[in-house]
Amino acid sequence: DTGVSQNPRHKITKRGQNVTFRCDPISEHNRLYWYRQTLGQGPEFLTYFQNEAQLEKSRLLSDRFSAERPKGSFSTLEIQRTEQGDSAMYLCASSPIQTEAFFGQGTRLTVV
Amino acid sequence: SQKIEQNSEALNIQEGKTATLTCNYTNYSPAYLQWYRQDPGRGPVFLLLIRENEKEKRKERLKVTFDTTLKQSLFHITASQPADSATYLCALRVYGGSQGNLIFGKGTKLSVKP
């Protein structure tokens, strides 16, 4: 399957722990995005890469959040010292040009 | 303030009827508008894109209109089927905004009853 792949699909962690999520975009797509979605809300933009360069970060992305895209291929999103408010679905998307985004299945994070 | 609103949180219709979903925005200058479908526990799936200089787009049973004067897009599903039941999201890409930033509405949950 050549779609966007996210791992893990589900993550339960204790408050204060660090978590890392991985996204493998569609191979020919140079743009990669991270979004966060809570129940009943639309996806909220977190950050965006073009190749390996992180071009924008939302104000939602606190200092506890960091994202990387080494070599312009897969990306990781790390949350340090997790809080209960971080519980959400984290969505990754990729696109070849500035049009439609192809989303992965998401990683559902539960902080207990 | 800037807002994007999908007027109905939920819409229930009978199979075979046309579903019409609304997306309104304020204080944005969109370059284009997109509609996505999202099933529970899954990521959004792209359906249609309409640019600011286009009035209407069609794809099979789907039709999207875009009125930049009214600041509104309508999304129609004709001959609806129970399999069309899902949440539908509209999203704007705006002039002067980030290249990475698609701004999403909260979505409308559509239920098509047999």
Side-chain angles (χ1 to χ4, degrees), chain B residues 14-27:
Chain B
Q14 204 67 31
E15 182 176 9
K17 302 292 186 185
T18 295
T20 298
L21 285 64
T22 305
C23 178
N24 293 291
Y25 58 92
T26 56
N27 295 327

Side-chain angles (χ1 to χ4, degrees), chain A residues 9 31 33 35 37 40-45 48 50 56 89 91 97-106 108, chain B residues 31-32 34 36 38 40-46 49 51 89 93-94 97-107:
Chain A
R9 291 291 312 279
R31 288 173 167 80
Y33 320 86
Y35 286 82
Q37 187 176 26
Q41 302 296 314
E44 294 176 298
F45 172 75
Y48 156 63
Q50 184 163 327
E56 185 171 2
M89 174 79 87
L91 293 163
I97 52 177
Q98 192 179 321
T99 54
E100 69 267 29
F102 295 79
F103 282 85
Q105 302 285 44
R108 179 162 297 284
Chain B
Y32 53 82
Q34 304 179 10
Y36 289 79
Q38 187 172 27
R42 305 180 82 87
V45 175
F46 171 77
L49 178 154
R51 301 185 187 279
L89 300 160
R93 177 104 56 201
V94 300
S98 157
Q99 292 186 41
N101 195 345
L102 261 183
I103 306 160
F104 282 88
K106 290 184 179 181

